[in-house]
Every structure is written in C-alpha cells, then in structure tokens.
C-alpha cells in the first residue's frame, strides 16, 4: 500500500484474483481502509488469472468501502476482466478506470 495523494491509498492485487487469495486480498484491503482514505485504488494491472470468486470479491470490497465512505476505484484491469465485468453487469457497480 502506498499513498498517491491526499487521503488516497493504493493496493496492488497481484497476478491472481481468485478464491484462494480472497482472504489475503480482503485482509490487505481491510488494513488500507483502517487508514480512512477518501479513495482506495485497487491496482489490477498485474492480474493474469481471475475467477467468479475474484469478481465477487471486488463487489464485496466495493460495498465495504462505500459503507465506510471511501470511493473504491479499480484501476488497470486486463481486458478479459473488463469483458467479464461487462457481461455480468458488475461494471455498473464498480468504478473501473484504465
């Protein structure tokens, strides 16, 4: 996690956004949210492998951040992940930027 602006935190998800890493990713995001950032940027540029549980995790993290008053931004997702987010309608629930 590193700051990139006032009250902004960043978390780099890594290569796998899958069920087996959900607890680990959630723990790191929980830690970042404890700093009460205005914006939490999830950096997805390294993601090579994802599954339905990973997509579900993004939605749960979005809801958690929203409850806390933090804007969650998913940045740099691979095209395949963006395509899945569009097909499932999840893209309308998440803030996704290139």
């Amino acid at each position: 996690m590193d700051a990139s602006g006032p009250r902004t935190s960043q978390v780099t998800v890594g290569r796998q956004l899958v069920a087996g890493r959900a607890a680990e990713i959630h723990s790191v995001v929980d830690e970042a949210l404890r700093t009460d950032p205005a914006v939490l940027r999830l950096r997805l540029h390294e993601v090579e492998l994802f599954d339905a549980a990973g997509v579900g995790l993004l939605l749960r993290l979005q809801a958690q951040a929203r409850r806390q008053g933090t804007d969650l931004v998913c940045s740099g997702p691979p095209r395949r992940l963006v395509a899945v987010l569009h097909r499932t309608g999840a893209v309308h629930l998440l803030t996704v930027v290139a």
Side-chain angles (χ1 to χ4, degrees):
M1 180 178 69
D2 53 47
S4 66
R7 296 194 58 221
T8 298
S9 292
Q10 293 191 47
V11 171
T12 300
V13 171
R15 293 180 43 192
Q16 297 182 352
L17 180 62
V18 296
R21 289 200 59 234
E24 173 192 350
I25 294 167
H26 205 284
S27 175
V28 172
V29 169
D30 282 345
E31 182 180 328
L33 287 173
R34 278 195 286 279
T35 68
D36 195 29
V39 177
L40 176 59
R41 182 173 301 274
L42 284 183
R43 299 182 71 222
L44 302 173
H45 65 283
E46 293 178 7
V47 173
E48 295 176 2
L49 181 64
F50 61 90
D51 60 14
V55 172
L57 176 62
L58 292 178
L59 295 172
R60 286 191 305 280
L61 294 174
Q62 170 71 13
Q64 177 183 357
R66 184 174 290 139
R67 283 191 304 273
Q68 187 174 313
T70 297
D71 292 328
L72 184 88
V73 176
C74 298
S75 68
R79 282 187 276 189
R80 291 182 315 128
L81 179 53
V82 172
V84 168
L85 295 175
H86 277 283
R87 279 196 308 272
T88 61
V91 73
H92 300 294
L93 303 172
L94 298 167
T95 302
V96 180
V97 297

